[in-house]
């Protein structure tokens, strides 16, 4: 049986989850998503301190890479799982191009750096979420993730549309007064493509995690590829634009963006093996909104705006996750999909 046939067979025989397991999975989705606005806030502060957004992104990935190197080679579990890499390649369960998934992380950060200042955080968020949702539907349909092909049921499509509507509602107070010319539309395409590719990145990470039996190798390879992409981007910026970065800050919390990224990638790689690309992406989107809301309430940044729409839209994303998950929730544990 070929690896692709084995994955298709596994997807068909994949058992359902009990309600308690679903609660645990949704909690993990939220935790993974919450890490992202925290990382964004830290990286933005580091960019302001150094005066170089490209350098801040590079530092974030570098610290994440350093952490993953320690986990992969200085812990018994890490070394044990890294020994599964060669067998996974030999069997064909992992293709060499899966390792390029980490480049998407670098691309996503670049789209964030290049567009947020011109289209705003709200438009960026809606564009990314729409890309993640469309990507989640497509990657699940063609079977890019480790769970194989998933049917585009009415509940899944409704949950996806509800997610985009909920995010649009949550950020609606920040959308007024936006100029929408051709240049604006072209800029919106960048974060949309970043979100679209990000859901594919999670799918490939899930395939690797299933093959290795752990998310550690996939997370490490993501940070190696992403760091390389951002290093090239930063060097290109120095070469063609110039500019000497400011002094690095002394406070430790400026450097936790990388570890937060490790949390997001590792949890995402595990979650797509359990619930598929679409539901995992939607759950982490809900976590991002929850995390952003908590930051705006507890540690508001200049210009932060919390309204009824912000809270209601965030709650609606949680409802959307439940709606999209219903087909799997209602399937009894121990029964495969027909």
């Amino acid at each position: 049986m070929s690896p692709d046939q084995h994955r298709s067979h596994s997807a068909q025989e994949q058992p359902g989850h009990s309600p308690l397991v679903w609660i645990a999975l949704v909690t993990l989705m939220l935790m993974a998503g919450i890490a992202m606005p925290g990382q964004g806030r830290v990286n933005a502060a580091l960019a302001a301190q150094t005066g170089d957004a490209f350098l801040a992104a590079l530092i974030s990935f570098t610290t994440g890479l350093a952490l993953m190197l320690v986990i992969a080679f200085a812990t018994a579990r890490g070394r044990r799982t890294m020994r599964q890499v060669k067998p996974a390649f030999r069997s064909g369960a992992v293709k060499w191009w899966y390792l390029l998934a980490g480049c998407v992380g670098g691309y996503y950060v670049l789209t964030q750096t290049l567009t947020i200042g011109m289209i705003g955080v709200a438009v960026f968020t809606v564009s990314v979420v729409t890309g993640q949702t469309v990507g989640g539907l497509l990657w699940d349909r063609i079977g890019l993730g480790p769970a194989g092909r998933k049917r585009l049921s009415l509940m899944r499509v409704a949950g996806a549309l509800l997610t985009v509507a909920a995010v649009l509602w949550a950020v609606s107070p920040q959308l007024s007064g936006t100029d929408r010319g051709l240049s604006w539309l072209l800029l919106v395409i960048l974060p949309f493509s970043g979100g679209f590719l990000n859901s594919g990145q999670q799918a490939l990470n899930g395939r690797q995690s299933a093959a290795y039996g752990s998310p550690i190798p996939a997370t490490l390879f993501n940070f190696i590829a992403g760091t390389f992409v951002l290093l090239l981007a930063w060097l290109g910026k120095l070469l063609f634009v110039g500019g000497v970065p400011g002094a690095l800050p002394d406070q430790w919390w400026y450097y936790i963006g990388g570890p937060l990224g490790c949390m997001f990638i590792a949890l995402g790689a595990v979650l797509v093996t359990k619930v598929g690309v679409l539901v995992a992406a939607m759950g982490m989107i809900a976590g991002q909104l929850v995390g952003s809301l908590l930051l705006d309430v507890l540690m508001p940044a200049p210009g932060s705006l919390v309204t009824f729409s912000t809270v209601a839209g965030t709650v609606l994303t949680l409802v959307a996750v439940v709606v999209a998950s219903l087909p799997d929730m209602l399937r009894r544990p121990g029964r495969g999909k027909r």
Side-chain angles (χ1 to χ4, degrees):
M1 182 181 293
S2 70
D4 289 336
Q5 290 173 324
H6 177 72
R7 278 191 297 270
S8 177
H9 177 76
S10 299
Q12 293 173 352
E13 299 299 326
Q14 190 180 23
H17 299 302
S18 69
L20 287 178
V21 171
W22 269 106
I23 291 173
L25 289 172
V26 171
T27 301
L28 288 177
M29 293 181 221
L30 294 177
M31 289 174 58
I34 287 172
M36 293 309 289
Q39 182 190 45
R41 182 72 68 87
V42 169
N43 287 348
L46 182 58
Q49 285 289 318
T50 60
D52 190 333
F54 281 71
L55 178 61
L58 176 59
I59 290 173
S60 178
F61 264 75
T62 302
T63 55
L65 174 59
L67 176 61
M68 289 311 306
L69 287 171
V70 171
I71 293 174
F73 298 108
T75 67
R77 183 185 178 190
R79 291 192 296 270
R80 185 169 61 251
T81 56
M82 290 303 294
R83 286 196 289 269
Q84 303 303 314
V85 173
K86 285 186 178 180
F89 273 91
R90 290 197 192 103
S91 69
V94 175
K95 312 293 186 184
W96 68 267
W97 54 272
Y98 292 6
L99 304 185
L100 300 179
C103 296
V104 173
Y107 174 73
Y108 174 85
V109 171
L110 286 180
T111 64
Q112 186 182 54
T113 303
L114 294 171
T115 63
I116 279 186
M118 289 178 278
I119 65 177
V121 175
V123 175
F124 177 86
T125 301
V126 173
S127 301
V128 167
V129 166
T130 304
Q132 288 174 322
T133 307
V134 172
L137 285 169
L138 176 64
W139 306 134
D140 266 349
R141 184 67 187 88
I142 67 177
L144 184 64
R149 293 184 179 180
K150 285 184 173 287
R151 193 166 50 88
L152 292 184
S153 65
L154 177 62
M155 287 295 190
R156 289 182 182 276
V157 175
L161 294 175
L162 193 58
T163 297
V164 176
V167 173
L168 189 60
W169 190 14
V171 302
S172 59
Q174 306 169 50
L175 291 174
S176 59
T178 303
D179 293 327
R180 290 174 171 82
L182 178 60
S183 59
W184 180 89
L185 179 61
L186 293 175
L187 287 171
V188 167
I189 291 174
L190 285 175
F192 173 87
S193 65
F196 181 83
L197 293 174
N198 177 259
S199 58
Q201 176 190 18
Q202 296 297 337
L204 293 180
N205 287 343
R207 281 203 172 193
Q208 291 186 69
S209 296
Y212 308 140
S214 167
I216 292 175
T219 307
L220 173 63
F221 297 145
N222 269 246
F223 274 91
I224 291 174
T227 300
F228 179 72
V229 166
L230 288 171
L231 177 61
L232 290 181
W234 182 62
L235 292 176
K237 182 249 182 189
L238 290 182
L239 180 63
F240 295 104
V241 180
V244 179
L248 296 179
D250 297 329
Q251 294 90 336
W252 61 271
W253 60 268
Y254 280 103
Y255 304 98
I256 64 172
L260 289 173
C262 292
M263 177 179 170
F264 175 80
I265 292 173
L267 286 178
V270 172
L271 287 166
V272 295
T273 68
K274 305 294 184 182
V275 300
V277 184
L278 174 63
V279 175
M282 289 172 56
M284 290 187 286
I285 288 166
Q288 290 176 47
L289 287 186
V290 170
S292 297
L293 180 60
L294 290 175
L295 282 174
D296 285 344
V297 171
L298 300 176
M299 294 180 287
S304 296
L305 185 62
V306 178
T307 67
F308 172 78
S309 298
T310 307
V311 178
T314 300
V315 173
L316 191 57
T317 59
L318 300 175
V319 175
V321 174
V322 174
V323 170
S325 304
L326 277 177
D328 292 327
M329 286 182 178
L330 297 176
R331 183 161 46 89
R332 287 181 293 176
R335 288 189 60 185
K337 288 180 284 189
R338 299 296 182 213

